[in-house]
Amino acid sequence: MSSAETVPPVSKAWPTAARLLVRWLDDHERVDVLLESLPTDLSRVERARVQNLLFGAVRHLGRIDSHLKPLLARAPRTRVRAVLLLAGCELIEGGAEGHVARVVHHAVEQTKALASPAEARLVNAVVRKLAAVLAAEVAPPADASPEALAVWYSHPQWLIERWRSYFGAEATRALLEWNQTPAPVHVRWRPRDRAPTEEEMRGVGPTTWAGFYEIKSGHWSDVAPLLASGLMAVQDPSTRLALELLAPKAGETVLDLCAAPGGKSLAIADAMGSGRVVAVDLPGPRIDRLAANLGLAPATIDVALVQGDAARNPGRLLAEHDLPVTAPAVLLDVPCSNTGVMRHRVDVKWRLQEGDFKKHAQQQGELLQAASRLVTPGGRLVYSTCSLDPVENERVVEAFCERTGGRFSVIESRLSRPWETGHDGAAAFLLKASDGTRPARR
């Protein structure tokens, strides 16, 4: 961490994280929405501290709660529970010598301000006992019961059982360990005509994926100007799978459906150098980010943003904006369970229900069917998700190909299992339209 970015006293970040956690516990607001509500007077370092605390508490919720229950005679007020969860997170994620004493002291002081002196005494006793219990724990082996894995790795038991049926015991534990590790932030270098200079590399480190770099801890201030200038874009290396299969060509028109927040749209534009990118998504809060990303596209790219439902007659939607109703390349990055990106979306595991996979697959199939009508004869359609689940990946594509009676065939597919690839989970399928594919109806 640079000297200009030393961590300030956490008196502002810690209570802010506690209040957001109370909202999450009481009202079940999404973590990403909560972070968007942070007060504007928080510094960048304080905002990062709030996010780390909130993410950690939600990430380790199941494990901490399993130990708190026998230590508490009755359920505490939500604000006290939030303090205990934040303290538990800090205990789990460790520190230097004397760390436990500092965590206990700080939790007590925060409880005095957020709750009451009496509750502070309770927190003092409970956090000390919690620290001892956590220190004595030993990670369960891969063949441990789903119940034991669910507690240690803070995941729903049903989800662990589902993953075991797909991936086996060893891979499932590797995935659980991956999900419980804080995620780094990756950026993509955008200029095609030169590599970054030594000065531009000061805030990032290399990765094994060409063009992608990892932001070094504490070096956001070094990278922020490069992001603002458009030289770099925040993007996970997993996104390259779909883009490499799509292989956008200079001069083409490419349709990007379900495009928000626009990272892939911008990457498509950068790869083409010239041509047209049409980005489509539903109206909503992410449209502003999509517009901002499209605004960074090279001047040689004609960009268009269309707000509407890609599942409902997208050809007519495009025609209403005087845009081509078919294209040789279509990307469909569908809404999904997000099981491949749980390091970034730490509350997904607590929101998911077993029936959600089937619901997602139905919507994904409808979107894929609609997108297929926008592909020119002989063109290519890439279906992608950030899911690890076959119900949302292979089975959706197989059902689609069967339903279209051979009009589309799978040319290639790629799957990222994060414990193997070292980046987010994702799936991508390249589908080629037959020469007799009918164009979209207007």
Short mmCIF file of all heavy atoms in Angstrom, two decimals, residues 58-105:
data_model
loop_
_atom_site.label_atom_id
_atom_site.label_comp_id
_atom_site.label_asym_id
_atom_site.label_seq_id
_atom_site.Cartn_x
_atom_site.Cartn_y
_atom_site.Cartn_z
N VAL A 58 -20.75 -11.47 5.41
CA VAL A 58 -21.71 -12.26 4.63
C VAL A 58 -21.07 -13.56 4.16
O VAL A 58 -21.69 -14.62 4.16
CB VAL A 58 -22.24 -11.44 3.44
CG1 VAL A 58 -23.16 -12.29 2.56
CG2 VAL A 58 -23.01 -10.20 3.94
N ARG A 59 -19.81 -13.48 3.77
CA ARG A 59 -19.08 -14.66 3.28
C ARG A 59 -19.01 -15.76 4.35
O ARG A 59 -19.19 -16.94 4.07
CB ARG A 59 -17.67 -14.24 2.88
CG ARG A 59 -16.82 -15.36 2.30
CD ARG A 59 -15.40 -14.89 2.04
NE ARG A 59 -15.35 -13.82 1.06
CZ ARG A 59 -14.87 -12.60 1.29
NH1 ARG A 59 -14.39 -12.29 2.48
NH2 ARG A 59 -14.86 -11.69 0.34
N HIS A 60 -18.76 -15.38 5.61
CA HIS A 60 -18.56 -16.35 6.69
C HIS A 60 -19.77 -16.49 7.60
O HIS A 60 -19.66 -17.05 8.70
CB HIS A 60 -17.34 -15.94 7.53
CG HIS A 60 -16.06 -15.87 6.77
ND1 HIS A 60 -15.46 -16.99 6.22
CD2 HIS A 60 -15.26 -14.82 6.45
CE1 HIS A 60 -14.33 -16.63 5.61
NE2 HIS A 60 -14.19 -15.32 5.74
N LEU A 61 -20.91 -16.01 7.15
CA LEU A 61 -22.12 -15.98 7.99
C LEU A 61 -22.44 -17.31 8.64
O LEU A 61 -22.67 -17.40 9.85
CB LEU A 61 -23.31 -15.50 7.15
CG LEU A 61 -24.67 -15.54 7.83
CD1 LEU A 61 -24.78 -14.43 8.87
CD2 LEU A 61 -25.80 -15.41 6.80
N GLY A 62 -22.48 -18.38 7.86
CA GLY A 62 -22.89 -19.69 8.38
C GLY A 62 -21.94 -20.20 9.45
O GLY A 62 -22.39 -20.71 10.49
N ARG A 63 -20.66 -20.05 9.21
CA ARG A 63 -19.67 -20.55 10.18
C ARG A 63 -19.74 -19.76 11.49
O ARG A 63 -19.71 -20.35 12.58
CB ARG A 63 -18.27 -20.44 9.56
CG ARG A 63 -17.15 -21.00 10.45
CD ARG A 63 -15.84 -20.89 9.71
NE ARG A 63 -14.70 -21.23 10.56
CZ ARG A 63 -13.43 -21.00 10.23
NH1 ARG A 63 -13.16 -20.46 9.05
NH2 ARG A 63 -12.46 -21.31 11.05
N ILE A 64 -19.82 -18.45 11.40
CA ILE A 64 -19.87 -17.63 12.61
C ILE A 64 -21.16 -17.90 13.38
O ILE A 64 -21.14 -18.08 14.61
CB ILE A 64 -19.75 -16.13 12.25
CG1 ILE A 64 -18.43 -15.85 11.54
CG2 ILE A 64 -19.87 -15.27 13.51
CD1 ILE A 64 -18.34 -14.47 10.92
N ASP A 65 -22.27 -17.93 12.68
CA ASP A 65 -23.56 -18.17 13.34
C ASP A 65 -23.59 -19.51 14.06
O ASP A 65 -24.19 -19.64 15.14
CB ASP A 65 -24.70 -18.12 12.32
CG ASP A 65 -25.38 -16.75 12.29
OD1 ASP A 65 -25.12 -15.92 13.19
OD2 ASP A 65 -26.18 -16.52 11.36
N SER A 66 -22.94 -20.53 13.47
CA SER A 66 -22.97 -21.85 14.09
C SER A 66 -22.30 -21.84 15.46
O SER A 66 -22.65 -22.63 16.34
CB SER A 66 -22.28 -22.88 13.18
OG SER A 66 -20.87 -22.68 13.17
N HIS A 67 -21.35 -20.95 15.66
CA HIS A 67 -20.66 -20.84 16.95
C HIS A 67 -21.35 -19.85 17.88
O HIS A 67 -21.24 -19.98 19.11
CB HIS A 67 -19.21 -20.44 16.74
CG HIS A 67 -18.40 -21.47 16.01
ND1 HIS A 67 -18.31 -22.78 16.42
CD2 HIS A 67 -17.65 -21.38 14.89
CE1 HIS A 67 -17.53 -23.46 15.58
NE2 HIS A 67 -17.12 -22.63 14.64
N LEU A 68 -22.00 -18.85 17.31
CA LEU A 68 -22.65 -17.86 18.16
C LEU A 68 -23.87 -18.42 18.88
O LEU A 68 -24.16 -18.07 20.04
CB LEU A 68 -23.07 -16.64 17.33
CG LEU A 68 -21.95 -15.72 16.85
CD1 LEU A 68 -22.53 -14.60 15.99
CD2 LEU A 68 -21.19 -15.12 18.04
N LYS A 69 -24.60 -19.30 18.20
CA LYS A 69 -25.85 -19.81 18.79
C LYS A 69 -25.65 -20.44 20.17
O LYS A 69 -26.39 -20.11 21.10
CB LYS A 69 -26.51 -20.78 17.82
CG LYS A 69 -27.12 -20.10 16.60
CD LYS A 69 -27.68 -21.09 15.60
CE LYS A 69 -28.22 -20.37 14.37
NZ LYS A 69 -28.70 -21.32 13.33
N PRO A 70 -24.67 -21.33 20.37
CA PRO A 70 -24.51 -21.89 21.72
C PRO A 70 -23.91 -20.91 22.72
O PRO A 70 -23.93 -21.17 23.93
CB PRO A 70 -23.56 -23.09 21.50
CG PRO A 70 -22.86 -22.79 20.23
CD PRO A 70 -23.82 -22.03 19.39
N LEU A 71 -23.38 -19.79 22.26
CA LEU A 71 -22.78 -18.81 23.16
C LEU A 71 -23.78 -17.76 23.62
O LEU A 71 -23.46 -16.95 24.51
CB LEU A 71 -21.61 -18.10 22.47
CG LEU A 71 -20.41 -18.98 22.06
CD1 LEU A 71 -19.37 -18.15 21.32
CD2 LEU A 71 -19.80 -19.65 23.28
N LEU A 72 -24.98 -17.76 23.05
CA LEU A 72 -25.98 -16.75 23.36
C LEU A 72 -27.22 -17.40 23.94
O LEU A 72 -27.77 -18.35 23.35
CB LEU A 72 -26.36 -15.97 22.09
CG LEU A 72 -25.23 -15.11 21.48
CD1 LEU A 72 -25.59 -14.73 20.05
CD2 LEU A 72 -24.98 -13.87 22.33
N ALA A 73 -27.67 -16.90 25.07
CA ALA A 73 -28.87 -17.45 25.70
C ALA A 73 -30.11 -17.13 24.89
O ALA A 73 -31.06 -17.91 24.87
CB ALA A 73 -29.00 -16.90 27.12
N ARG A 74 -30.10 -15.99 24.24
CA ARG A 74 -31.22 -15.61 23.37
C ARG A 74 -30.68 -14.76 22.22
O ARG A 74 -29.58 -14.21 22.32
CB ARG A 74 -32.30 -14.85 24.13
CG ARG A 74 -31.85 -13.56 24.77
CD ARG A 74 -33.00 -12.86 25.49
NE ARG A 74 -32.59 -11.61 26.08
CZ ARG A 74 -32.09 -11.49 27.29
NH1 ARG A 74 -31.93 -12.57 28.05
NH2 ARG A 74 -31.74 -10.31 27.76
N ALA A 75 -31.46 -14.66 21.19
CA ALA A 75 -31.02 -13.92 20.01
C ALA A 75 -30.84 -12.44 20.35
O ALA A 75 -31.72 -11.82 20.96
CB ALA A 75 -32.04 -14.07 18.89
N PRO A 76 -29.71 -11.84 20.00
CA PRO A 76 -29.49 -10.42 20.28
C PRO A 76 -30.22 -9.54 19.29
O PRO A 76 -30.74 -10.02 18.27
CB PRO A 76 -27.98 -10.28 20.13
CG PRO A 76 -27.63 -11.29 19.09
CD PRO A 76 -28.56 -12.45 19.32
N ARG A 77 -30.25 -8.27 19.58
CA ARG A 77 -30.77 -7.32 18.59
C ARG A 77 -29.93 -7.39 17.32
O ARG A 77 -28.75 -7.74 17.36
CB ARG A 77 -30.75 -5.90 19.14
CG ARG A 77 -31.77 -5.62 20.22
CD ARG A 77 -31.97 -4.14 20.40
NE ARG A 77 -30.80 -3.47 20.95
CZ ARG A 77 -30.66 -2.14 20.97
NH1 ARG A 77 -31.61 -1.36 20.42
NH2 ARG A 77 -29.59 -1.59 21.49
N THR A 78 -30.53 -7.04 16.21
CA THR A 78 -29.83 -7.17 14.93
C THR A 78 -28.53 -6.38 14.92
O THR A 78 -27.51 -6.84 14.39
CB THR A 78 -30.72 -6.73 13.76
OG1 THR A 78 -31.96 -7.41 13.84
CG2 THR A 78 -30.07 -7.03 12.43
N ARG A 79 -28.53 -5.19 15.50
CA ARG A 79 -27.31 -4.38 15.47
C ARG A 79 -26.18 -5.05 16.27
O ARG A 79 -25.01 -4.93 15.91
CB ARG A 79 -27.59 -2.97 15.98
CG ARG A 79 -28.03 -2.86 17.42
CD ARG A 79 -28.37 -1.43 17.78
NE ARG A 79 -29.48 -0.93 16.98
CZ ARG A 79 -29.92 0.34 17.01
NH1 ARG A 79 -29.30 1.21 17.79
NH2 ARG A 79 -30.93 0.72 16.27
N VAL A 80 -26.54 -5.76 17.33
CA VAL A 80 -25.52 -6.49 18.10
C VAL A 80 -25.06 -7.72 17.32
O VAL A 80 -23.87 -8.05 17.29
CB VAL A 80 -26.06 -6.89 19.48
CG1 VAL A 80 -25.05 -7.74 20.24
CG2 VAL A 80 -26.42 -5.65 20.29
N ARG A 81 -25.99 -8.39 16.68
CA ARG A 81 -25.61 -9.52 15.84
C ARG A 81 -24.67 -9.08 14.74
O ARG A 81 -23.70 -9.77 14.41
CB ARG A 81 -26.86 -10.17 15.24
CG ARG A 81 -26.54 -11.43 14.45
CD ARG A 81 -27.75 -11.99 13.74
NE ARG A 81 -27.39 -13.12 12.90
CZ ARG A 81 -28.10 -13.53 11.85
NH1 ARG A 81 -29.23 -12.90 11.51
NH2 ARG A 81 -27.70 -14.56 11.13
N ALA A 82 -24.94 -7.90 14.16
CA ALA A 82 -24.06 -7.39 13.12
C ALA A 82 -22.64 -7.17 13.64
O ALA A 82 -21.65 -7.50 12.97
CB ALA A 82 -24.63 -6.09 12.55
N VAL A 83 -22.52 -6.62 14.85
CA VAL A 83 -21.20 -6.43 15.46
C VAL A 83 -20.50 -7.77 15.64
O VAL A 83 -19.30 -7.91 15.34
CB VAL A 83 -21.33 -5.69 16.81
CG1 VAL A 83 -20.00 -5.73 17.57
CG2 VAL A 83 -21.77 -4.25 16.60
N LEU A 84 -21.23 -8.76 16.13
CA LEU A 84 -20.64 -10.08 16.36
C LEU A 84 -20.19 -10.72 15.05
O LEU A 84 -19.13 -11.36 14.98
CB LEU A 84 -21.64 -10.98 17.07
CG LEU A 84 -21.98 -10.58 18.52
CD1 LEU A 84 -23.16 -11.42 19.04
CD2 LEU A 84 -20.77 -10.74 19.42
N LEU A 85 -20.96 -10.55 14.00
CA LEU A 85 -20.58 -11.11 12.70
C LEU A 85 -19.35 -10.42 12.14
O LEU A 85 -18.45 -11.07 11.58
CB LEU A 85 -21.75 -10.99 11.71
CG LEU A 85 -22.95 -11.90 11.98
CD1 LEU A 85 -24.11 -11.54 11.06
CD2 LEU A 85 -22.58 -13.37 11.79
N LEU A 86 -19.28 -9.11 12.28
CA LEU A 86 -18.11 -8.39 11.79
C LEU A 86 -16.87 -8.77 12.58
O LEU A 86 -15.78 -8.96 12.01
CB LEU A 86 -18.35 -6.87 11.88
CG LEU A 86 -19.36 -6.30 10.89
CD1 LEU A 86 -19.69 -4.86 11.22
CD2 LEU A 86 -18.84 -6.40 9.46
N ALA A 87 -17.02 -8.91 13.90
CA ALA A 87 -15.89 -9.34 14.71
C ALA A 87 -15.46 -10.76 14.33
O ALA A 87 -14.27 -11.06 14.22
CB ALA A 87 -16.26 -9.28 16.19
N GLY A 88 -16.43 -11.65 14.10
CA GLY A 88 -16.12 -13.01 13.68
C GLY A 88 -15.38 -13.04 12.37
O GLY A 88 -14.42 -13.81 12.20
N CYS A 89 -15.80 -12.20 11.44
CA CYS A 89 -15.11 -12.11 10.15
C CYS A 89 -13.65 -11.70 10.35
O CYS A 89 -12.74 -12.29 9.76
CB CYS A 89 -15.83 -11.10 9.25
SG CYS A 89 -14.81 -10.36 7.96
N GLU A 90 -13.42 -10.69 11.19
CA GLU A 90 -12.05 -10.24 11.43
C GLU A 90 -11.21 -11.32 12.10
O GLU A 90 -10.02 -11.46 11.82
CB GLU A 90 -12.07 -8.98 12.29
CG GLU A 90 -12.65 -7.77 11.55
CD GLU A 90 -12.51 -6.48 12.34
OE1 GLU A 90 -12.95 -6.46 13.51
OE2 GLU A 90 -11.98 -5.51 11.79
N LEU A 91 -11.82 -12.10 12.99
CA LEU A 91 -11.10 -13.19 13.62
C LEU A 91 -10.72 -14.27 12.62
O LEU A 91 -9.61 -14.80 12.63
CB LEU A 91 -11.95 -13.80 14.74
CG LEU A 91 -12.18 -12.92 15.98
CD1 LEU A 91 -13.25 -13.54 16.88
CD2 LEU A 91 -10.88 -12.73 16.75
N ILE A 92 -11.65 -14.61 11.72
CA ILE A 92 -11.40 -15.66 10.74
C ILE A 92 -10.33 -15.24 9.74
O ILE A 92 -9.44 -16.02 9.38
CB ILE A 92 -12.71 -16.04 10.00
CG1 ILE A 92 -13.64 -16.80 10.94
CG2 ILE A 92 -12.41 -16.87 8.76
CD1 ILE A 92 -15.02 -17.05 10.37
N GLU A 93 -10.41 -14.01 9.28
CA GLU A 93 -9.50 -13.57 8.23
C GLU A 93 -8.14 -13.15 8.78
O GLU A 93 -7.25 -12.79 8.01
CB GLU A 93 -10.17 -12.48 7.39
CG GLU A 93 -11.43 -13.04 6.71
CD GLU A 93 -11.96 -12.18 5.58
OE1 GLU A 93 -11.54 -11.02 5.46
OE2 GLU A 93 -12.80 -12.70 4.81
N GLY A 94 -8.00 -13.20 10.10
CA GLY A 94 -6.67 -13.17 10.72
C GLY A 94 -6.01 -11.83 10.85
O GLY A 94 -6.54 -10.79 10.46
N GLY A 95 -4.82 -11.87 11.42
CA GLY A 95 -4.04 -10.67 11.65
C GLY A 95 -2.76 -10.99 12.38
O GLY A 95 -2.42 -12.14 12.62
N ALA A 96 -2.03 -9.95 12.77
CA ALA A 96 -0.75 -10.11 13.44
C ALA A 96 -0.96 -10.43 14.92
O ALA A 96 -2.09 -10.54 15.40
CB ALA A 96 0.08 -8.84 13.27
N GLU A 97 0.15 -10.57 15.62
CA GLU A 97 0.09 -10.85 17.05
C GLU A 97 -0.70 -9.75 17.76
O GLU A 97 -0.55 -8.56 17.48
CB GLU A 97 1.51 -10.92 17.61
CG GLU A 97 1.57 -11.31 19.08
CD GLU A 97 2.99 -11.42 19.57
OE1 GLU A 97 3.91 -11.36 18.73
OE2 GLU A 97 3.18 -11.57 20.79
N GLY A 98 -1.56 -10.15 18.67
CA GLY A 98 -2.41 -9.19 19.37
C GLY A 98 -3.70 -8.88 18.65
O GLY A 98 -4.49 -8.05 19.09
N HIS A 99 -3.93 -9.56 17.52
CA HIS A 99 -5.11 -9.29 16.70
C HIS A 99 -6.40 -9.55 17.48
O HIS A 99 -7.33 -8.76 17.41
CB HIS A 99 -5.06 -10.15 15.44
CG HIS A 99 -6.24 -10.01 14.54
ND1 HIS A 99 -6.53 -8.84 13.87
CD2 HIS A 99 -7.24 -10.89 14.22
CE1 HIS A 99 -7.64 -9.01 13.16
NE2 HIS A 99 -8.08 -10.23 13.36
N VAL A 100 -6.47 -10.65 18.21
CA VAL A 100 -7.69 -11.00 18.93
C VAL A 100 -8.04 -9.91 19.93
O VAL A 100 -9.20 -9.48 20.02
CB VAL A 100 -7.55 -12.36 19.64
CG1 VAL A 100 -8.73 -12.60 20.57
CG2 VAL A 100 -7.44 -13.48 18.61
N ALA A 101 -7.06 -9.44 20.69
CA ALA A 101 -7.33 -8.39 21.67
C ALA A 101 -7.86 -7.14 21.01
O ALA A 101 -8.79 -6.49 21.53
CB ALA A 101 -6.06 -8.09 22.46
N ARG A 102 -7.31 -6.79 19.84
CA ARG A 102 -7.78 -5.60 19.14
C ARG A 102 -9.20 -5.79 18.63
O ARG A 102 -10.02 -4.86 18.68
CB ARG A 102 -6.83 -5.26 17.98
CG ARG A 102 -5.50 -4.68 18.43
CD ARG A 102 -4.74 -4.07 17.25
NE ARG A 102 -4.33 -5.10 16.29
CZ ARG A 102 -3.20 -5.78 16.37
NH1 ARG A 102 -2.38 -5.55 17.39
NH2 ARG A 102 -2.88 -6.67 15.47
N VAL A 103 -9.50 -6.98 18.11
CA VAL A 103 -10.86 -7.24 17.63
C VAL A 103 -11.86 -7.14 18.77
O VAL A 103 -12.92 -6.52 18.64
CB VAL A 103 -10.94 -8.63 16.96
CG1 VAL A 103 -12.39 -9.00 16.67
CG2 VAL A 103 -10.14 -8.64 15.66
N VAL A 104 -11.53 -7.74 19.90
CA VAL A 104 -12.43 -7.70 21.06
C VAL A 104 -12.65 -6.26 21.51
O VAL A 104 -13.79 -5.81 21.71
CB VAL A 104 -11.87 -8.55 22.22
CG1 VAL A 104 -12.71 -8.34 23.48
CG2 VAL A 104 -11.83 -10.02 21.84
N HIS A 105 -11.56 -5.53 21.67
CA HIS A 105 -11.66 -4.14 22.14
C HIS A 105 -12.51 -3.30 21.18
O HIS A 105 -13.39 -2.55 21.61
CB HIS A 105 -10.26 -3.54 22.28
CG HIS A 105 -10.28 -2.07 22.59
ND1 HIS A 105 -10.59 -1.58 23.83
CD2 HIS A 105 -10.04 -0.99 21.79
CE1 HIS A 105 -10.53 -0.25 23.82
NE2 HIS A 105 -10.19 0.12 22.59
#
